[in-house]
Amino acid sequence: MDDGVAQTGDAESQHVAPEALSDLSGRTRPVVLHLCSGPKRQDSYSQHGDRLGFDVVDVDLVIDPALDITDDRCWDKIRADIDADIYKGAQMDPQCSTFSSVRGRMGGPRPLRGSHGDALYGHSDLTQQERIRVKRDTLLGIRCAIVAFRMLDRGYPFLIEQPAMRENAPSLFKLPEYTKLLAHPDVK
């Protein structure tokens, strides 16, 4: 499987990790990775983790633009930390707006994806801006699947939050990476 690497930035900046991810080793409590966490807020996942005895590393570009997992500087650091056994689990909430099955209903925004095949990666008549959003959401989803596989390989728990799949509607879980993940006997 591809490691979900997209080329971004210049060669010199490729090795600069986001500050929030810079010093994660040596922690005494387990560390859980929270991708696409959204903004910091009251009663957040990380606050619940703290009460339950584990640290949570929230990663989302709304917290800090450097915490964008579609940027290779951030992504490479996350992969390296997983490989170094920093994280003992992961919670992932990848953007689902372009995969939403309610697009096009009741006057809402038009559907950007089909339910299967090439159309799952975006309809052929997308504007440039829509195409960028679809590609970005696809990359977010694929990178979350890669994290899930790496957690699975290590025997660590993970959770990916998405709306339920509908038969004739697009879904992140219909991407090949997820059909492979969902077929694994240890995934529910």
Side-chain angles (χ1 to χ4, degrees):
M1 172 186 290
D2 177 339
D3 266 351
V5 176
Q7 294 303 314
T8 59
D10 59 38
E12 186 176 313
S13 67
Q14 289 292 320
H15 303 289
V16 179
E19 188 176 330
L21 302 176
S22 64
D23 187 26
L24 298 176
S25 61
R27 294 195 182 194
T28 58
R29 299 180 347 153
V31 181
V32 173
L33 177 63
H34 189 192
L35 293 181
C36 308
S37 63
K40 297 201 180 277
R41 57 191 170 274
Q42 187 67 27
D43 293 324
S44 68
Y45 185 73
S46 59
Q47 288 178 352
H48 288 290
D50 187 52
R51 285 192 290 274
L52 293 170
F54 60 90
D55 293 333
V56 175
V57 174
D58 290 320
V59 177
D60 198 303
L61 63 86
V62 300
I63 297 169
D64 179 339
L67 294 174
D68 177 358
I69 68 169
T70 66
D71 183 313
D72 287 342
R73 291 166 292 196
C74 180
W75 176 240
D76 289 346
K77 176 64 170 139
I78 289 168
R79 287 185 315 151
D81 286 348
I82 291 170
D83 292 344
D85 208 35
I86 298 292
Y87 302 113
K88 306 302 183 196
Q91 160 79 33
M92 297 165 279
D93 310 287
Q95 176 67 262
C96 62
S97 65
T98 64
F99 287 97
S100 178
S101 63
V102 298
R103 292 185 74 94
R105 295 185 179 189
M106 302 189 68
R110 75 184 187 125
L112 301 179
R113 300 175 185 265
S115 62
H116 61 281
D118 289 344
L120 186 57
Y121 293 93
H123 291 304
S124 61
D125 65 343
L126 298 179
T127 67
Q128 182 67 18
Q129 185 174 356
E130 289 169 333
R131 195 173 300 114
I132 290 168
R133 288 184 60 214
V134 165
K135 285 183 177 184
R136 181 179 177 76
D137 287 356
T138 301
L139 182 58
L140 282 170
I142 289 170
R143 287 186 169 182
C144 286
I146 291 167
V147 170
F149 277 110
R150 288 181 173 202
M151 291 293 135
L152 191 60
D153 288 345
R154 289 163 175 73
Y156 294 149
F158 66 88
L159 176 84
I160 301 170
E161 182 182 5
Q162 284 288 288
M165 275 196 297
R166 295 178 186 209
E167 188 174 329
N168 293 316
S171 171
L172 179 76
F173 291 142
K174 291 181 179 180
L175 291 174
E177 293 80 3
Y178 285 92
T179 56
K180 182 178 177 184
L181 183 64
L182 291 167
H184 192 285
D186 293 333
V187 174
K188 298 175 184 171

